[in-house]
Amino acid sequence: MSDLVFIGIDLGTSRTSIATSTGQRETIWSYVGYPRDHVAKKHFGGRDIIYGKEALDGRLSLELCRPMAGSSVKRRGAQDDARRKKAIKDLLHHVIQIARIPHGSTIYGMIGAPAEASMEGRATILEAVDECIDSVIICSEPYAVAYGLDFIDDTLVIDCGAGTTDLCRLHGTMPKAEDQRTHEIAGDSIDQELARLVREAYPEAQFSINMIRAFKEKYSSVSKRMDPAIVSMPVAGRPQQFDITELVFKACYTLVPPTVTALQELIATYDPEYQEKMRSHILLGGGGSVIRGLGLAIEQALEEYGGGHVITVAEPQHAGADGALKFALDMPAEYWNEFRSIRSLEMAAT
Ligand SMILES: Nc1ncnc2c1ncn2[C@@H]1O[C@H](COP(=O)(O)OP(=O)(O)OP(=O)(O)O)[C@@H](O)[C@H]1O
Ligand SMILES: [Mg+2]
């Protein structure tokens, strides 16, 4: 048999990360672009597909797709059209390609999906990797984060992503539907809210949603003593300085109330004997977890419900893929073999 390589993938709305048993770690922005015409294609050196930040930067000459946003993988009830399915497939193939896995290896992949991913979403992922991974298991994303950090007992994971904030209660086994909550106040909705607040406060300022996201990522905070956020935006084409400190605070804080409500629901419906332990084991991950003071703000909001202790994940960008890889490496061989044989049967039947 060829060399066996395990991979963990975190397929996110804004970023996709991979970690491999050969020691590679890569992250790209989840954008896929297709040149609009032959001039655009020439501009991109004859390439048919452009990925990540390069695609976002070159969007004026590309059909740009952010395939995970609003996909069935991320949103229950959503349907994926052929264009989106192709972009998801291209994105996954690309991320596996940049991980430089030795040619001819047998690849076993663990892919994190939102805690409540639908059957359609799972089918979309399986179809997308059918030709490039030999055996695939889809696992709950928050579970992968916690598993990677050895936090699987009586722990609550909060994964603040771009499209959704996923919460998951862990107690040593695979989480079930009742252990999970998802809400849509996350990075993208914070960007929308900040854009709305800026438009309201400074109607003369010109900006794009990408500029707003960059402002947020630079100054994000829910701390009362945050640094001033002074940004430059053009007014009728001329750059001017604007103070958006309070607006950034307000937009970022929208994350706190729904997250605390979901946390409290998950705690209140847990075995009373273990509720205390769970409260003191709240793991905060995802790109949104780097908002300054977020852990503390959640702890303060939890006080009226009995308090809690929040631990912020050290490397949120890699935690999902690293955890999925660790889970893949610990998975007994028969699970992978079972999946392979199911697939060979399915393939034989078609
Ligand atoms: N410094 C920062 N401050 C605030 N938000 C940030 C910061 N850095 C990144 N983010 C936000 O984190 C989000 C991306 O997080 P993450 O990579 O966990 O999402 P994702 O996994 O792609 O999305 P999802 O899990 O919803 O599919 C984006 O909205 C991004 O703007
Ligand atoms: Mg994510």
Side-chain angles (χ1 to χ4, degrees), residues 10-13 15 74 141 159-162 164 166 286:
D10 179 358
L11 185 56
T13 306
R15 276 181 312 206
K74 300 286 171 185
E141 220 166 74
D159 179 2
C160 299
T164 54
D166 295 295

Side-chain angles (χ1 to χ4, degrees), residues 222 284 289 291-300 309-312:
V222 289
L284 177 62
S289 66
I291 296 175
R292 283 170 214 87
L294 184 59
L296 190 63
I298 292 174
E299 284 181 358
Q300 283 167 349
H309 178 57
V310 179
I311 302 142
T312 304

Side-chain angles (χ1 to χ4, degrees), residues 29-306:
W29 290 15
S30 305
Y31 287 95
V32 185
Y34 304 94
R36 286 183 194 276
D37 53 30
H38 68 278
V39 179
K41 186 170 166 179
K42 191 156 179 234
H43 171 72
F44 287 105
R47 286 174 293 159
D48 290 315
I49 315 176
I50 314 300
Y51 298 96
K53 187 168 183 307
E54 188 184 5
L56 181 64
D57 292 344
R59 63 188 175 280
L60 298 182
S61 33
L62 297 170
E63 292 286 345
L64 187 69
C65 183
R66 197 182 183 213
M68 302 313 295
S71 70
S72 68
V73 179
K74 300 286 171 185
R75 181 170 292 164
R76 232 162 232 286
Q79 299 281 328
D80 304 320
D81 59 16
R83 178 174 175 263
R84 185 191 292 277
K85 281 188 180 171
K86 175 171 177 352
I88 293 176
K89 183 174 175 174
D90 289 337
L91 179 68
L92 276 163
H93 279 236
H94 178 70
V95 86
I96 292 168
Q97 196 189 356
I98 59 173
R100 296 189 292 277
I101 295 167
H103 190 68
S105 306
T106 297
I107 304 177
Y108 285 1
M110 181 73 71
I111 302 183
E116 295 183 88
S118 64
M119 288 305 287
E120 288 82 0
R122 286 166 184 267
T124 293
I125 296 178
L126 292 179
E127 205 182 306
V129 293
D130 192 43
E131 288 161 21
C132 62
I133 301 187
D134 297 277
S135 186
V136 193
I137 297 175
I138 296 176
C139 70
S140 145
E141 220 166 74
Y143 185 81
V145 170
Y147 193 88
L149 299 168
D150 287 325
F151 260 91
I152 51 172
D153 262 345
D154 305 314
T155 298
L156 265 163
V157 183
I158 310 171
D159 179 2
C160 299
T164 54
T165 295
D166 295 295
L167 294 98
C168 185
R169 184 167 73 186
L170 298 172
H171 38 80
T173 58
M174 291 296 272
K176 300 198 177 62
E178 67 263 26
D179 296 313
Q180 299 162 14
R181 295 286 184 281
T182 290
H183 66 73
E184 294 196 354
I185 307 299
D188 286 351
S189 74
I190 294 176
D191 299 344
Q192 294 299 336
E193 178 61 5
L194 183 56
R196 192 188 68 76
L197 292 169
V198 171
R199 201 173 300 118
E200 198 176 271
Y202 304 115
E204 70 282 20
Q206 297 173 294
F207 58 83
S208 72
I209 197 72
N210 294 320
M211 289 162 67
I212 291 285
R213 188 185 307 134
F215 297 156
K216 173 196 74 176
E217 292 185 1
K218 183 158 181 201
Y219 295 106
S220 68
S221 177
V222 289
S223 162
K224 296 258 155 44
R225 291 190 306 269
M226 68 185 278
D227 292 337
I230 312 293
V231 302
S232 169
M233 291 181 278
V235 174
R238 284 184 43 188
Q240 272 190 29
Q241 304 282 94
F242 294 91
D243 183 347
I244 61 164
T245 315
E246 208 183 315
L247 314 184
V248 171
F249 176 94
K250 276 190 186 157
C252 290
Y253 202 85
T254 55
L255 193 54
V256 177
T259 302
V260 169
T261 304
L263 271 179
Q264 183 51 23
E265 274 172 28
L266 287 173
I267 295 170
T269 52
Y270 195 52
D271 185 327
E273 214 180 308
Y274 298 98
Q275 288 184 10
E276 203 48 46
K277 187 167 173 211
M278 192 156 267
R279 275 180 196 292
S280 56
H281 266 175
I282 300 172
L283 201 57
L284 177 62
S289 66
V290 299
I291 296 175
R292 283 170 214 87
L294 184 59
L296 190 63
I298 292 174
E299 284 181 358
Q300 283 167 349
L302 269 175
E303 263 165 28
E304 65 174 290
Y305 302 105

